[in-house]
């Protein structure tokens, strides 16, 4: 070994810095072509093009649009780390940058993740650093982290094109993570508390609901009594779901929220089909399951009251995220070097936020999910922008690349050590079993013929 670990980290960071325009322009280009989950065709093509520019082979079509690089091989065989970037945008209709046809927009900053992911690969390949490491790195661009467009995804499930709803869930199911031992992903954030870089924190588990109320159409003025109003059934159900709130404990961090995606077709016809997409989140899966029963009762109550029918589809949502503390500690030390200790936030373990399918992955292997600054406005809002691409793309790329070097450095073999002490909650098969059990499809009939 003729180079020290710190020298190698410096070399890789310099390489990332030298290519900052390429990485930032790539991230901006992704933002200008935003697409939602399982529809990220242009986005995955752009990922493939940049992989080709690095002479990096890949396989595609992972969970429809996922692109996975060939391993960037180390000098000898060791564990394989996936550096992940999420391909999907959101739908925010009134965002100034939203696509005119689809309203897709990167209002969660996933475009920056792809830039950082490529940055790590570029740094390791161009500097020749990988040849010093005991282990491999895979760049993995994954689809559909945001749980949206439930009806579209349920149709994909019913057509047999998907087994689970979220990208990483499906990738676990089909074996795309089988050759991966550990994973990392850096997510942009608008929270000033996160400073320039942050580590730690958890996320909530959830279940996804897709609900259809079926009534009977009739003339809304001439013969309303001849119809069964599916919108009123949904109204009662929405009120009943809200009234459950007083039974929620603060410490369980329960969130119940949703949208009406179809509320009728014409004002002069009693609505016969009304659709809801809902979400139930909580600190643990048991809590989510408990609240799910209350929500199912509320949905049934709406249908029963109006004499309508209701189909309730429950789809296994994300599991709570558990980050590996040892890898987070390593990342934090590297982040100190990149942006200075005063610009790094270390979150306590009990902090909770939204949900992510990195949670699912965290239940079967050691992962980290650090955050980076540079975004402004409200996450998922119409004023969300990346204000400082250097902070959102380059800083996390350097910190992750340095963390990879620590984890695979031959004299230390830190990742091997971590894998010996890290006990995942589930094996892959246990995970699939658990999630399959959380899928439900019930039809309750109260409508008289
Ligand atoms: Zn998001
Ligand atoms: Zn996100």
């Amino acid at each position: 070994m003729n180079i020290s670990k710190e020298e190698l980290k410096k070399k890789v960071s310099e390489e990332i810095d030298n290519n900052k325009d390429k990485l930032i322009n790539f991230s901006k280009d992704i933002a200008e072509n935003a697409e939602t989950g399982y529809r990220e065709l242009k986005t995955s093509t752009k990922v493939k093009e940049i992989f080709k520019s690095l002479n990096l082979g890949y396989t595609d079509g992972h969970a429809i649009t996922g692109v996975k690089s060939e391993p960037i091989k180390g000098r000898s065989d060791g564990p394989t780390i996936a550096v992940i970037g999420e391909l999907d945008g959101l739908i925010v209709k009134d965002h100034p940058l939203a696509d005119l046809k689809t309203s897709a927009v990167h209002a969660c900053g996933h475009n920056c993740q792809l830039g950082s992911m490529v940055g790590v690969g570029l740094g390791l390949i161009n500097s020749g650093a990988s040849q010093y490491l005991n282990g491999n790195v895979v760049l993995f661009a994954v689809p559909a982290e945001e749980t949206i467009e439930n009806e579209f995804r349920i149709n994909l499930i019913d057509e047999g094109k998907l087994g689970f709803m979220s990208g990483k869930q499906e990738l676990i199911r089909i074996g795309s993570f089988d050759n991966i031992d550990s994973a990392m992903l850096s997510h942009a954030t608008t929270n000033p508390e996160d400073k320039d870089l942050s580590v730690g924190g958890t996320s909530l588990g959830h279940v996804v609901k897709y609900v259809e109320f079926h009534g009977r159409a009739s003339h809304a003025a001439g013969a309303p009594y001849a119809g069964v109003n599916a919108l009123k059934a949904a109204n009662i159900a929405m009120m009943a779901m809200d009234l459950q709130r007083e039974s929620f404990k603060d410490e369980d961090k329960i969130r119940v929220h949703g949208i009406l995606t179809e509320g009728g077709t014409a004002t002069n016809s009693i609505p016969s089909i009304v659709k809801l997409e809902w979400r139930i989140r909580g600190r643990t899966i048991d809590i989510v399951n408990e609240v799910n029963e209350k929500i199912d009762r509320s949905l049934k109550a709406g249908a029963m009251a109006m004499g309508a029918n209701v189909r309730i589809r429950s789809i296994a949502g994300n599991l709570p995220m558990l980050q590996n503390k040892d890898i987070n500690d390593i990342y934090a030390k590297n982040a100190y070097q990149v942006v200075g200790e005063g610009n790094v936030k270390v979150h306590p373990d009990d902090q909770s936020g939204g949900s992510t399918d990195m949670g699912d992955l965290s239940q079967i292997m050691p992962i980290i999910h650090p955050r980076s600054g540079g975004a402004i406005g409200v996450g998922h809002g119409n004023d969300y922008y990346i204000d400082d691409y250097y902070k959102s793309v380059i800083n996390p790329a350097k910190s992750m690349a340095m963390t990879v070097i620590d984890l695979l450095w031959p004299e230390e073999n830190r990742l091997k050590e971590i894998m010996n002490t890290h006990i995942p909650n589930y094996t892959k098969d246990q995970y699939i079993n658990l999630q399959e059990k959380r899928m439900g499809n019930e039809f309750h009939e109260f409508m008289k013929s």
Side-chain angles (χ1 to χ4, degrees):
M1 188 84 38
N2 48 15
I3 187 166
S4 75
K5 189 173 77 170
E6 292 311 312
E7 280 165 352
L8 196 66
K9 285 185 187 177
K10 198 163 165 261
K11 229 176 140 191
V12 172
S13 292
E14 278 168 6
E15 193 57 45
I16 293 170
D17 254 334
N18 291 341
N19 285 280
K20 65 178 190 302
D21 292 343
K22 175 176 177 162
L23 298 168
I24 289 172
N25 289 337
F26 169 71
S27 308
K28 286 182 176 170
D29 187 30
I30 300 286
E32 282 161 18
N33 292 279
E35 297 165 301
T36 55
Y38 301 119
R39 304 186 201 261
E40 311 100 326
L41 298 170
K42 284 184 287 179
T43 312
S44 62
T45 301
K46 288 176 190 300
V47 171
K48 287 183 237 177
E49 279 164 7
I50 205 158
F51 282 177
K52 279 182 204 156
S53 80
L54 298 173
N55 286 324
L56 186 56
Y58 57 81
T59 50
D60 60 4
H62 293 267
I64 303 178
T65 49
V67 185
K68 183 181 176 187
S69 83
E70 295 295 336
I72 302 167
K73 284 200 185 298
R75 64 167 196 181
S76 63
D77 219 20
T80 299
I81 302 171
V83 178
I84 296 177
E86 292 161 348
L87 293 158
D88 61 329
L90 281 160
I91 297 172
V92 185
K93 277 198 171 26
D94 57 349
H95 196 295
L97 301 181
D99 184 280
L100 293 177
K101 271 196 200 140
T102 64
S103 298
V105 60
H106 273 288
C108 201
H110 294 186
N111 57 312
C112 297
Q113 297 176 19
L114 294 170
S116 313
M117 171 195 81
V118 172
V120 174
L122 180 150
L124 293 171
I125 294 168
N126 288 6
S127 67
S130 51
Q131 64 184 296
Y132 294 98
L133 304 178
N134 260 3
N136 315 303
V137 176
V138 162
L139 310 185
F140 204 169
V142 304
E145 188 272 341
E146 304 285 359
T147 309
I148 57 172
E149 299 186 297
N150 297 354
E151 188 173 0
F152 164 65
R153 295 192 193 178
I154 282 175
N155 287 337
L156 291 175
I157 290 173
D158 290 346
E159 288 164 16
K161 291 177 182 155
L162 279 183
F164 291 145
M165 188 171 237
S166 274
K168 296 180 202 72
Q169 296 180 326
E170 178 65 0
L171 293 168
I172 294 170
R173 190 185 74 86
I174 63 176
S176 296
F177 277 105
D178 284 359
N179 69 338
I180 306 293
D181 299 297
S182 175
M184 61 179 73
L185 173 163
S186 172
H187 197 300
T189 170
T190 62
N191 183 356
E193 249 191 49
D194 281 292
K195 301 184 179 173
D196 284 351
L197 292 168
S198 77
V199 296
T202 62
S203 66
L204 303 177
H206 68 63
V207 64
V208 180
K209 308 296 280 190
Y210 171 73
V211 184
E212 284 181 6
F213 288 96
H214 296 187
R216 187 182 298 123
S218 68
H219 196 294
Y225 40 80
V228 174
N229 195 318
L231 183 58
K232 292 193 191 298
N235 260 325
I236 293 167
M238 285 191 281
M239 188 173 290
M241 288 194 283
D242 266 342
L243 293 174
Q244 303 289 351
R245 287 180 198 279
E246 71 174 6
S247 71
F248 302 162
K249 291 183 200 141
D250 292 350
E251 64 267 31
D252 288 340
K253 299 189 189 290
I254 297 161
R255 291 276 186 278
V256 178
H257 56 98
I259 56 171
L260 186 80
T261 54
E262 194 174 320
T265 45
T267 49
N268 58 6
S269 179
I270 294 290
S272 58
I273 296 275
V274 167
K275 298 175 182 176
L276 306 181
E277 296 189 4
W278 229 255
R279 206 94 73 84
I280 302 154
R281 311 199 205 211
R283 194 170 52 78
T284 67
I285 289 305
D286 286 345
I287 288 160
V288 170
N289 291 345
E290 209 177 280
V291 177
N292 190 34
E293 281 179 30
K294 297 177 184 180
I295 296 307
D296 281 352
R297 283 205 309 266
S298 306
L299 293 165
K300 270 187 261 175
M304 185 192 271
M306 298 309 296
N309 299 335
V310 62
R311 178 167 301 284
I312 307 173
R313 298 284 297 260
S314 301
I315 304 108
N318 302 153
L319 301 189
M321 183 168 63
L322 310 162
Q323 299 200 49
N324 183 277
K325 203 180 165 323
D326 295 324
I327 306 179
N328 263 341
D329 288 346
I330 294 170
Y331 182 92
K333 286 198 182 100
N334 287 314
Y336 297 161
Q337 281 193 45
V338 174
V339 294
E341 189 166 349
N343 296 314
V344 177
K345 168 78 181 174
V346 178
H347 286 288
D349 286 341
D350 62 349
Q351 188 238 6
S352 269
S355 308
T356 170
D357 54 7
M358 274 304 269
D360 296 66
L361 203 56
S362 79
Q363 299 279 344
I364 65 165
M365 67 175 67
I367 65 107
I368 60 166
H369 188 275
R371 289 171 190 273
S372 65
I376 53 167
V378 176
H380 293 201
N382 63 2
D383 61 348
Y384 179 99
Y385 292 97
I386 302 299
D387 182 45
D388 187 335
Y389 270 91
Y390 191 91
K391 284 187 180 174
S392 296
V393 175
I394 306 302
N395 285 342
K398 287 191 209 168
S399 309
M400 285 195 289
M402 290 159 78
T403 302
V404 163
I405 293 171
D406 276 319
L407 288 170
L408 302 180
W409 189 248
E411 277 141 40
E412 297 168 356
N413 289 311
R414 297 289 295 278
L415 183 54
K416 261 192 195 160
E417 233 174 64
I418 288 166
M419 284 164 59
N420 286 337
T421 53
H422 179 97
I423 301 162
N425 280 349
Y426 303 105
T427 63
K428 173 191 161 190
D429 290 344
Q430 287 168 335
Y431 166 80
I432 292 170
N433 203 8
L434 168 84
Q435 291 292 55
E436 277 174 349
K437 278 201 201 126
R438 295 176 70 220
M439 305 290 257
N441 187 357
E442 301 174 11
F443 190 63
H444 300 280
E445 287 181 88
F446 303 101
M447 190 158 53
K448 295 217 169 84
S449 53

